[in-house]
Amino acid sequence: LAKTTQPISMDSYEGQEVNITCSHNNIATNDYITWYQQFPSQGPRFIIQGYKTKVTNEVASLFIPADRKSSTLSLPRVSLSDTAVYYCLVDGRGNTPLVFGKGTRLSVIA
Amino acid sequence: DVKVTQSSRYLVKRTGEKVFLECVQDMDHENMFWYRQDPGLGLRLIYFSYDVKMKEKGDIPEGYSVSREKKERFSLILESASTNQTSMYLCASLGQVPYNYGYTFGSGTRLTVV
């Protein structure tokens, strides 16, 4: 299973753009990159998924370079409510269960 | 929206008890999963199921079993609870078609074994 590496923690001020980078050097051709968000005492929540280039939704943008060995989750203008743990996963889309790492703990400061 | 409901939010059980954690999803999803989450260790997969009456071991199945008699319900069983099974337990479901929204997790059951 492809493993991901992401920073343990990040701090940001409200209103700033936050970029969390994840490396996945051994990603397979059929794998996607998926990001989840988890608030304290809740289960993780799917936020975005992509295969290559750029994907954007109402929550975040996901940038994936051509070699697909890394990806960057971009959160525009964060607020205090974006304080959470963010997980980057290599996703075979149901072929195998998701393997969660320890994620990146994002703290947004007023 | 898909809803995954875990029967208990908090549970306290005694060592040696048989414990049932229930999970129900309402979107006819084929796939269901049980994870546990501990500080510093992230989420670890215990068991999963791709269909009724099917089950597969995850990374840490020891001390656990599962039951999936109906498509919507996936139960995690602690045969004889021990203190090292004190944890947050998270259930998730996944539909195959269309695969657009990933896993849907329940709110979790925080189990304390005393």
Side-chain angles (χ1 to χ4, degrees):
Chain A
L1 290 172
K3 185 178 176 181
T4 62
T5 302
Q6 55 184 122
I8 297 293
S9 63
M10 295 180 70
D11 295 332
S12 176
Y13 288 101
E14 273 192 298
Q16 289 187 330
E17 178 184 73
V18 171
N19 296 309
I20 306 174
T21 298
C22 176
S23 66
H24 26 79
N25 292 318
N26 297 320
I27 190 168
T29 303
N30 295 331
D31 288 335
Y32 285 69
I33 296 106
T34 303
W35 286 78
Y36 283 75
Q37 174 191 56
Q38 186 179 24
F39 298 115
S41 299
Q42 293 186 26
R45 180 178 75 111
F46 171 93
I47 50 175
I48 200 165
Q49 182 179 85
Y51 185 80
K52 60 181 177 181
T53 64
K54 178 182 174 182
V55 179
T56 297
N57 62 21
E58 64 278 4
V59 176
S61 294
L62 178 59
F63 301 90
I64 305 165
D67 67 7
R68 301 197 336 117
K69 293 185 183 298
S70 66
S71 59
T72 300
L73 176 74
S74 181
L75 304 171
R77 297 179 298 282
V78 294
S79 64
L80 295 175
S81 62
D82 292 315
T83 293
V85 177
Y86 292 83
Y87 297 94
C88 165
L89 298 102
V90 170
D91 188 351
R93 293 193 125 192
N95 291 325
T96 54
L98 291 179
V99 176
F100 285 79
K102 298 179 182 178
T104 297
R105 184 173 298 277
L106 173 66
S107 298
V108 180
I109 308 161
Chain B
D1 282 352
V2 176
K3 193 170 180 181
V4 176
T5 303
Q6 295 185 230
S7 54
S8 302
R9 195 83 172 92
Y10 298 94
L11 212 52
V12 179
K13 295 293 181 180
R14 296 195 177 277
T15 301
E17 276 193 75
K18 190 168 186 176
V19 181
F20 294 85
L21 303 183
E22 305 288 347
C23 175
V24 177
Q25 49 94 4
D26 65 359
M27 281 298 291
D28 200 36
H29 281 178
E30 295 82 5
N31 310 301
M32 297 188 75
F33 309 85
W34 275 105
Y35 289 85
R36 65 176 281 180
Q37 185 170 29
D38 301 288
L41 295 178
L43 282 82
R44 292 179 291 166
L45 181 66
I46 305 171
Y47 266 97
F48 59 103
S49 169
Y50 286 142
D51 205 346
V52 177
K53 299 210 186 274
M54 289 183 61
K55 59 184 179 183
E56 300 285 343
K57 292 180 179 179
D59 298 321
I60 52 164
E62 296 79 19
Y64 303 94
S65 63
V66 290
S67 172
R68 191 147 182 223
E69 295 296 317
K70 294 185 178 182
K71 194 174 187 179
E72 67 270 19
R73 185 180 297 269
F74 192 35
S75 302
L76 180 69
I77 304 158
L78 286 66
E79 298 291 343
S80 177
S82 64
T83 54
N84 63 13
Q85 292 178 309
T86 291
S87 186
M88 169 71 93
Y89 289 88
L90 290 159
C91 174
S93 75
L94 171 70
Q96 283 299 117
V97 180
Y99 190 98
N100 288 325
Y101 299 105
Y103 287 27
T104 300
F105 280 85
S107 295
T109 295
R110 187 168 294 281
L111 172 68
T112 301
V113 182
V114 298

